[in-house]
């Protein structure tokens, strides 16, 4: 994910017939019929409907229906055995943080009504990459080895910022990290080394670490930046105990690959 501006589906047998006829011409007399024998009918018998439809609905390829995923569009095509993989620091939101979100989201929805709240919160340490299924466990083990010596730390995320993905098919409302940036860079350096080992794309250069609060389909930067962004930042700055509320803890690194989650505690 990158900051805005950018900062991570009637059959014919003609071919078979051509092959048979070509083969028959190679054998002397193969195309002749015995004298006096009636010509063979050239019309094929019809295939029963029960046979034509016996395999209907058995295509096992996943259906890429964006309507079933809130309008989200895949950034890379699905292939059997490929697993979308993402490394991040999870954030467990408390009641006060959710109260803040309940205050910010309606303000933003005045400008972009289609914004919806994130179901879970995290700070990315990698882009979304593709792993073959048999590489998932070795990849996770390599991550564990890399982050095992890293310590837990505190960070603050209190700068409202607008983000888009690289394709600009989704827009995110987030809180950017303003302290703890160096510790996140240290984690990314470890994750990037694992990415290199598996010939995968490293994280963005000069990344903007952030917690996404809400998202929508499409590029909504024009509506959200400017007046909307100023109103949201004012709401954060004027909130009582905002500095304490938005001081968070990084206690583990997590890897999501397909529908599997792997947690790696920090020291």
């Amino acid at each position: 994910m990158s900051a805005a501006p950018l900062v991570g589906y009637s059959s014919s047998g003609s071919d078979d017939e051509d092959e048979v006829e070509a083969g028959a011409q190679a054998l002397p007399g193969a195309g002749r019929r015995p004298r006096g024998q009636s010509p063979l009918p050239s019309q094929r018998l019809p295939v029963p409907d029960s046979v034509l439809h016996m395999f209907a609905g058995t295509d096992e390829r996943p259906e890429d229906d964006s309507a079933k995923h809130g309008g989200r569009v895949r950034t890379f095509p699905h292939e059997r055995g490929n697993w979308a993989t993402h490394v991040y620091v999870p954030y467990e939101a408390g009641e006060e943080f959710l109260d803040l979100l309940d205050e910010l989201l309606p303000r933003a929805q005045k400008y972009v009504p289609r914004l919806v709240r994130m179901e879970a919160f995290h700070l990315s340490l990698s882009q979304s990459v593709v792993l073959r299924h048999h590489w998932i466990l070795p990849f996770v083990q390599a991550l564990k080895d890399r982050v095992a010596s890293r310590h837990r730390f505190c960070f603050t995320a209190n700068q409202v910022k607008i983000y888009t993905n690289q394709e600009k098919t989704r827009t995110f409302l987030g809180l950017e990290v303003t302290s703890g940036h160096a510790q996140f860079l240290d984690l990314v350096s470890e994750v990037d080394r694992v990415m290199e080992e598996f010939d995968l794309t490293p994280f963005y250069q000069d990344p903007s670490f952030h917690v996404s609060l809400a998202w929508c389909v499409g590029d909504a930067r024009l509506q959200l930046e400017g007046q909307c962004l100023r109103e949201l930042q004012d709401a954060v700055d004027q909130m009582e105990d905002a500095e304490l509320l938005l001081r968070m803890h990084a206690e583990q690194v997590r890897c999501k690959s397909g529908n599997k989650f792997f947690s790696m505690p920090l020291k």
Side-chain angles (χ1 to χ4, degrees):
M1 189 184 303
S2 52
L6 288 176
V7 276
Y9 49 149
S10 108
S11 65
S12 171
S14 60
D15 291 341
D16 293 337
E17 290 175 3
D18 290 343
E19 290 174 3
V20 171
E21 290 176 2
Q25 291 171 1
L27 297 175
R32 305 173 187 172
R33 63 177 183 274
R35 186 175 300 173
Q37 181 173 332
S38 300
L40 292 174
S42 60
Q43 185 176 5
R44 291 183 174 182
L45 293 175
V47 180
D49 288 343
S50 59
V51 175
L52 287 174
H53 301 294
M54 66 188 301
F55 298 110
T58 59
D59 190 349
E60 296 182 357
R61 290 175 299 178
E63 180 183 359
D64 284 340
D65 186 351
S66 61
K68 296 180 179 179
H69 306 284
R72 288 173 290 181
V73 179
R74 287 184 184 273
T75 56
F76 44 82
H78 176 89
E79 292 183 20
R80 183 178 299 280
N82 284 353
W83 293 69
T85 302
H86 178 221
V87 184
Y88 58 94
V89 170
Y91 171 62
E92 301 297 333
E95 184 176 347
E96 292 181 335
F97 181 86
L98 297 177
D99 288 342
L100 172 62
L101 182 52
D102 287 340
E103 180 177 344
L104 295 179
L105 186 55
R107 293 173 184 260
Q109 287 172 329
K110 290 190 302 182
Y111 295 86
V112 181
R114 66 182 184 277
L115 274 171
V116 294
R117 191 169 86 170
M118 300 294 293
E119 296 180 358
F121 306 96
H122 68 268
L123 298 95
S124 293
L125 300 177
S126 80
Q127 299 190 52
S128 184
V129 297
V130 178
L131 268 182
R132 298 294 294 175
H133 183 267
H134 59 279
W135 285 116
I136 293 176
L137 292 182
F139 179 84
V140 171
Q141 185 59 54
L143 280 177
K144 288 181 178 180
D145 294 342
R146 282 290 180 184
V147 304
S149 61
R150 293 296 175 177
H151 292 267
R152 302 178 183 186
F153 60 93
C154 295
F155 63 95
T156 300
N158 59 4
Q159 184 71 39
V160 183
K161 200 163 183 177
I162 309 303
Y163 297 85
T164 65
N165 61 351
Q166 281 189 318
E167 298 77 15
K168 296 183 175 59
T169 57
R170 280 180 279 170
T171 302
F172 300 84
L173 171 65
L175 288 174
E176 185 182 30
V177 169
T178 54
S179 70
H181 189 87
Q183 290 92 328
F184 276 106
L185 284 177
D186 288 342
L187 285 178
V188 166
S189 69
E190 302 293 359
V191 174
D192 276 352
R193 289 192 178 109
V194 177
M195 294 294 179
E196 291 171 4
E197 291 176 21
F198 287 80
D199 198 23
L200 297 171
T201 305
F203 202 39
Y204 306 106
Q205 292 186 351
D206 192 22
S208 171
F209 300 106
H210 61 278
V211 180
S212 290
L213 306 177
W215 72 281
C216 69
V217 172
D219 186 350
R221 289 175 297 169
L222 287 178
Q223 299 96 310
L224 291 173
E225 292 177 340
Q227 181 62 31
C228 176
L229 193 59
R230 288 191 292 271
E231 290 181 12
L232 296 176
Q233 188 63 58
D234 287 344
V236 170
D237 293 341
Q238 295 170 11
M239 184 174 183
E240 186 178 356
D241 297 327
E243 184 176 352
L244 180 61
L245 169 61
L246 297 177
R247 188 165 177 80
M248 308 173 186
H249 302 272
E251 298 182 342
Q252 63 175 291
V253 171
R254 188 173 294 169
C255 176
K256 180 180 185 295
S257 190
N259 58 0
K260 298 180 180 179
F261 295 84
F262 304 88
S263 295
M264 292 145 271
L266 300 174
K267 291 179 67 176

